[in-house]
Amino acid sequence: MYAYDEIDRTLVNERVSEFRDQVKRRLSGELNEDEFKMLRLQNGVYLQLHAYMFRVAIPYGTLATNQLRALAHVARKYDRGYGHFTTRQNIQFNWIKLAELPDALADLAEVGIHAMQTSGNNMRNVTSDQWAGVAPGEIEDPRIWSELIRQHTTLHPEFSFLPRKFKIAITASDHDRAAIRIHDIGLRLIKNEKGETGFEVLVGGGLGRTPFIAKTIKHFVHGRDILSYIEAILRVYNQYGRRDNIYKARIKILVHELGIEKFSREVEDEWQHIRNSSLQIDDEVIEDIRSRFTYPAYEKLPHMPDELRQAAADPDFEAWRKNSVAPHKVQGYSIVTVSLKPTGGPPGDATAEQMDALADLADKYSFSEIRVGHEQNLALPHVAKRDLPALWKALDRLGLATPNVNLITDIIACPGLDYCSLANARSIPIAQELTRRFANHELANLIGRLHINISGCINACGHHHVGHIGILGVEKNGEEVYQITIGGRADENAALGTLIGPGVKFDEVADVIEDVVEAYLALRERPEELFMDTVKRLGVEPFKERVYATR
Amino acid sequence: MPLVNGGKIVDDSFVKLAVDTPLPESGDILVPAERFLGEADALLKRAGKVGVIWPNSRDISELVPYLGKLAVVALVFPTFRDGRAYSQARLLRERYNYRGELRATGQVLRDQFVFMLRAGFDAFDVKKQADAEAFMQTAKRYSVFYQPTGDGRITALHRRMQLRHSEGVGT
Ligand code: HEM
Ligand code: SF4
């Protein structure tokens, strides 16, 4: 865990008092909506279909139990008793009152949580691997660097009014759980031949109307230079990024229009001016941040405790364990993913009661720490294996033990028409219907790893482009129509999905997905061949045929 | 628009010229970039100070040969959402060592004062009277800064180092 000190707390409090003043000026009419809009966005406040929506940052997805309880408190006191975890390691509250927002922010500030820059045309919440610091085989804990970058980009005086929003994601594992290739800047921690820590820097990824996979701009930037390098990229973007058309304002368009070679020459040029400035990070600074991350006092535990051996007789426990429990870098411990995808539920929602209860469980079983992943699930990062059976029982009672992580019902979905003022179509009801269709665990397990992603419009908040199966809601002649893509992925081999044919009606979506899945089951060479591999081997044609032959 | 300079509302001694306004005989003038570059020598020879209004889409390095002779560089915020002038300001201050008045013009509201001060602005053509009056109070809103810029304020990272070292002395 990262511990805020007095300095960080002061900044957050100053921010709350500034926002209190801004809300007051808005309510008195001193600020018009146009002026206020940007200010509220910089504090995570949207005006949605029904009410104000409030988006709170969970930097690199790490939460302490008192912080999770504070989120539960906000859900209960200022909202309707639940919150929605998103693909950006944020939590959103949908029914908040403008006049109460400063109080909600003040309550969160007490536990070091803020909503700074969770929206608006600035640097957004820095995201990272939800297993950071506990996954086996990491270069090092990427959160140290995430925190450094979070601090550097918070209220940055040059980059708070960029052409468009800006997102950075960091991973330190070979297996990319942070989706770095679909971010404006993706950072991959690596070591060079001399054993020094640095980054492969990728730039220009993003989804939305014009999706791009990020390109490598530099194969190695030394850790000490990472802030100046990021600053150089941002300065070039701030100067040359398009401002005439918001659909073309993201850095991906600039990189695309200039070409990566020309863009990287511009960045290199700028970087040479600033790399030896006060932006260079000395080891002492890194050590200081590192020292404020504390790690559990792990015990020496057996690899296979008796409790686990005994529980293995229970098939329900085993189904959950196989699905939700991952290896930990320390022997005798596991990482447990807590599914927020119950059958028939909106993906990513958690009630205040669930949050409180999960905080209690994390205190008891996970050294008071919780993680939020971009798949809209939570994780307990340090669970002793001997505690797994007891933890499972407790999670099950809370409705948080659905054994579907990475299976077909572990759906990522944006809020769509149910909440979002930009939506063309519903997302949540589609997700709910699909979780019912594939509720049978045996079947889901037989299908194996398969990610479905749903967005209610082209903005792609549900990452539909990079879903193994992507579902995009569009509007046609006043009707909701859904386009289906297959073959996308957001990991280290990131790719955009391919459209399989004309859009289908709301009522047909679940049938079509069933057809796609049946086609896959019939086409795969062996049970181990995953959906993605079959699509890669055969392309979209056979799937297209199966879906459209009878329609 | 009230002008704030040195933290106070002051009278603006500069007259803004358009591209084709006849040149006044004396007095301080602010000239659009285009015109300034066209007649720089003549403008700089006359009595009175000269400032230039520089658009946010033009490369600021074109100004470098004149920086020593300019009394004001005015950078433009056509809307408060357009932040290009922040980069220009930092380049002027930090890369080109411009020490004259750096003025923010256009949509300048109180909620940007902190950002502008940090980027190197020291004069502000403020849009609303109430915002100009709130300048000092608003400018002091933050005491913690995470990133180094040319304004010389100590960053959170370095403040921590100092604290750590001063704690270390006693032990
Ligand atoms: C509820 C109000 C929301 C609004 C108004 C909204 C708005 C937008 C817009 C306009 C874009 C397109 C940006 C662009 O490409 O330039 C976008 C992209 C995105 N949003 Fe949202 N969004 C909302 C909720 C969410 C939620 C709930 C999530 C997560 C579940 C989310 C995550 C994302 C992601 C991951 C992108 C990806 C696009 C990219 O980075 O290229 N948003 N959003
Ligand atoms: S994808 Fe569209 S509908 Fe869904 S949350 Fe984003 S903006 Fe709203």
Side-chain angles (χ1 to χ4, degrees):
Chain A
M1 280 300 305
Y2 177 77
Y4 267 42
D5 65 5
E6 203 45 45
I7 296 174
D8 302 291
R9 279 195 293 274
T10 303
L11 179 84
V12 174
N13 288 331
E14 287 169 347
R15 180 64 159 180
V16 174
S17 96
E18 178 181 45
F19 191 56
R20 199 180 283 285
D21 174 56
Q22 290 165 341
V23 170
K24 201 170 93 198
R25 280 152 56 217
R26 174 67 191 124
L27 293 173
S28 75
E30 206 180 314
L31 283 173
N32 65 35
E33 181 53 28
D34 186 45
E35 291 162 345
F36 181 63
K37 184 176 174 187
M38 178 199 58
L39 305 175
R40 66 168 161 76
L41 289 178
Q42 288 176 345
N43 285 281
V45 183
Y46 278 89
L47 188 53
Q48 279 305 321
L49 270 187
H50 314 287
Y52 281 101
M53 183 208 91
F54 176 41
R55 183 184 285 160
V56 176
I58 300 167
Y60 36 87
T62 297
L63 274 175
T65 45
N66 65 331
Q67 295 178 318
L68 185 57
R69 286 192 187 95
L71 294 171
H73 157 81
V74 167
R76 199 176 283 119
K77 179 158 179 202
Y78 304 102
D79 206 275
R80 296 192 179 171
Y82 63 95
H84 178 73
F85 289 96
T86 82
T87 48
R88 299 275 323 135
Q89 294 181 324
N90 292 317
I91 182 168
Q92 293 183 180
F93 299 101
N94 287 302
W95 305 96
I96 209 120
K97 291 191 194 64
L98 182 58
E100 293 185 348
L101 264 163
D103 290 337
L105 275 169
D107 291 353
L108 291 173
E110 277 180 30
V111 293
I113 295 192
H114 62 79
M116 288 186 273
Q117 296 175 201
T118 50
S119 183
N121 295 333
N122 46 40
M123 186 74 73
R124 301 295 188 84
N125 188 31
V126 175
T127 55
S128 187
D129 185 349
Q130 69 269 26
W131 293 358
V134 289
E138 260 178 2
I139 302 285
E140 69 173 330
D141 190 340
R143 294 174 303 165
I144 292 154
W145 300 92
S146 312
E147 174 59 23
L148 181 78
I149 294 168
R150 181 196 77 78
Q151 293 189 13
H152 184 74
T153 55
T154 295
L155 301 185
H156 195 297
E158 187 178 346
F159 305 129
S160 290
F161 304 90
L162 292 167
R164 201 73 177 86
K165 60 176 161 179
F166 206 93
K167 301 172 178 179
I168 298 184
I170 309 181
T171 181
S173 288
D174 286 340
H175 181 56
D176 175 11
R177 279 171 295 265
I180 65 166
R181 283 172 171 75
I182 53 168
H183 283 75
D184 297 293
I185 293 180
L187 298 174
R188 195 166 73 84
L189 257 169
I190 46 176
K191 295 232 186 256
N192 68 6
E193 323 79 59
K194 290 189 219 144
E196 296 165 323
T197 306
F199 295 89
E200 180 189 356
V201 180
L202 296 96
V203 74
L207 303 175
R209 190 170 300 248
T210 322
F212 281 109
I213 301 296
K215 299 166 189 74
T216 299
I217 178 168
K218 213 162 171 68
H219 290 283
F220 188 81
V221 174
H222 197 289
R224 73 168 100 86
D225 295 322
I226 195 64
L227 292 183
S228 61
Y229 197 73
I230 290 172
E231 190 126 328
I233 293 176
L234 278 161
R235 187 170 274 172
V236 170
Y237 172 57
N238 193 33
Q239 300 269 280
Y240 302 114
R242 288 182 62 169
R243 290 173 191 264
D244 56 327
N245 177 343
I246 67 159
Y247 301 119
K248 299 196 167 173
R250 298 284 297 271
I251 195 172
K252 62 192 175 186
I253 304 291
L254 181 65
V255 171
H256 180 69
E257 284 182 353
L258 288 181
I260 187 71
E261 291 77 24
K262 181 141 198 307
F263 179 78
S264 63
R265 275 201 303 278
E266 293 277 344
V267 170
E268 194 68 29
D269 207 36
E270 182 59 42
W271 186 44
Q272 293 312 329
H273 283 288
I274 57 175
R275 65 182 292 192
N276 295 320
S277 67
S278 49
L279 289 174
Q280 199 176 82
I281 313 157
D282 40 46
D283 291 344
E284 210 185 3
V285 164
I286 282 296
E287 283 319 309
D288 179 67
I289 291 192
R290 200 189 302 277
S291 74
R292 286 194 295 141
F293 277 90
T294 51
Y295 296 90
Y298 296 112
E299 293 172 66
K300 237 186 142 59
L301 294 176
H303 175 63
M304 187 40 112
D306 291 342
E307 289 87 344
L308 201 53
R309 222 184 288 272
Q310 282 154 17
D314 180 344
D316 289 338
F317 171 78
E318 273 301 283
W320 173 81
R321 186 191 61 77
K322 287 208 180 98
N323 181 260
S324 311
V325 178
H328 195 283
K329 67 176 185 189
V330 178
Q331 174 180 301
Y333 288 86
S334 309
I335 307 168
V336 171
T337 300
V338 178
S339 169
L340 294 182
K341 318 286 178 65
T343 304
D349 274 16
T351 63
E353 288 68 40
Q354 286 176 325
M355 289 188 238
D356 276 339
L358 193 62
D360 292 346
L361 290 176
D363 277 339
K364 198 163 168 188
Y365 297 122
S366 186
F367 296 91
S368 303
E369 199 175 319
I370 299 109
R371 301 293 180 81
V372 184
H374 83 269
E375 295 88 351
Q376 300 181 284
N377 288 322
L378 302 178
L380 297 175
H382 327 275
V383 180
K385 285 184 172 175
R386 59 159 188 244
D387 295 332
L388 286 169
L391 173 65
W392 169 66
K393 286 208 180 94
L395 287 173
D396 197 33
R397 279 194 294 273
L398 295 168
L400 296 173
T402 316
N404 62 348
V405 176
N406 289 326
L407 299 183
I408 190 163
T409 54
D410 186 3
I411 295 169
I412 294 177
C414 82
L417 257 187
D418 292 274
Y419 297 100
C420 180
S421 54
L422 304 177
N424 293 122
R426 286 167 287 173
S427 309
I428 294 172
I430 299 263
Q432 289 171 306
E433 175 59 17
L434 286 171
T435 60
R436 286 185 212 107
R437 291 277 177 118
F438 293 99
N440 181 328
H441 178 71
E442 306 307 318
L443 173 63
N445 211 17
L446 182 81
I447 297 165
R449 186 173 186 127
L450 205 177
H451 296 285
I452 298 182
N453 293 53
I454 311 173
S455 303
C457 81
I458 194 69
N459 287 324
C461 300
H463 288 183
H464 65 272
H465 296 108
V466 287
H468 298 172
I469 299 178
I471 303 175
L472 164 64
V474 295
E475 196 227 75
K476 217 171 165 190
N477 309 323
E479 237 192 314
E480 296 162 274
V481 174
Y482 294 82
Q483 297 179 344
I484 316 289
T485 52
I486 61 173
R489 58 200 297 171
D491 56 13
E492 60 283 2
N493 300 312
L496 304 171
T498 309
L499 196 62
I500 63 165
V504 298
K505 294 201 172 86
F506 179 84
D507 295 332
E508 294 173 333
V509 175
D511 292 343
V512 167
I513 303 303
E514 271 186 351
D515 287 352
V516 170
V517 170
E518 274 170 23
Y520 152 66
L521 290 175
L523 290 164
R524 69 181 179 189
E525 277 181 332
R526 346 162 229 111
E528 298 78 45
E529 188 178 68
L530 294 176
F531 176 76
M532 282 305 292
D533 300 326
T534 307
V535 173
K536 196 165 172 200
R537 181 166 57 83
L538 297 173
V540 299
E541 274 314 311
F543 294 91
K544 190 172 182 164
E545 245 162 64
R546 176 73 179 78
V547 169
Y548 293 97
T550 54
R551 283 196 168 75
Chain B
M1 287 207 275
L3 180 70
V4 172
N5 199 339
K8 287 190 289 288
I9 301 181
V10 296
D11 287 333
D12 188 0
S13 70
F14 284 80
V15 176
K16 281 200 183 93
L17 300 191
V19 200
D20 48 4
T21 324
L23 199 61
E25 293 224 337
S26 61
D28 302 340
I29 51 171
L30 260 177
V31 191
E34 205 66 35
R35 179 165 181 183
F36 176 78
L37 293 175
E39 28 184 310
D41 290 339
L43 291 175
L44 290 167
K45 262 200 228 111
R46 74 183 261 293
K49 295 180 193 158
V50 182
V52 59
I53 305 169
W54 200 257
N56 68 0
S57 52
R58 189 162 192 151
D59 191 345
I60 198 75
S61 66
E62 282 183 67
L63 254 190
V64 169
Y66 309 101
L67 285 178
K69 299 175 191 120
L70 285 168
V72 175
V73 175
L75 299 177
V76 187
F77 293 85
T79 76
F80 49 81
R81 290 194 194 84
D82 187 338
R84 279 176 276 188
Y86 291 103
S87 290
Q88 292 177 317
R90 289 195 65 195
L91 289 173
L92 279 176
R93 289 295 197 213
E94 295 169 42
R95 185 165 306 162
Y96 304 125
N97 285 313
Y98 172 66
R99 291 286 157 261
E101 177 181 319
L102 187 54
R103 190 184 289 196
T105 68
Q107 297 285 319
V108 178
L109 303 172
R110 80 172 77 171
D111 307 285
Q112 294 132 271
F113 290 157
V114 174
F115 293 122
M116 289 174 171
L117 282 163
R118 297 219 62 217
F121 289 98
D122 55 2
F124 306 83
D125 247 334
V126 184
K127 196 170 160 235
K128 300 182 186 179
Q129 184 69 27
D131 285 0
E133 283 160 14
F135 184 86
M136 276 321 270
Q137 180 198 340
T138 318
K140 280 192 296 205
R141 178 136 254 150
Y142 288 95
S143 63
V144 173
F145 305 97
Y146 275 132
Q147 52 297 100
T149 71
D151 68 356
R153 290 185 221 223
I154 184 164
T155 63
L157 290 172
H158 290 97
R159 172 116 56 107
R160 285 195 193 101
M161 293 300 142
Q162 284 183 347
L163 288 172
R164 180 163 291 204
H165 289 154
S166 61
E167 279 158 18
V169 174
T171 58

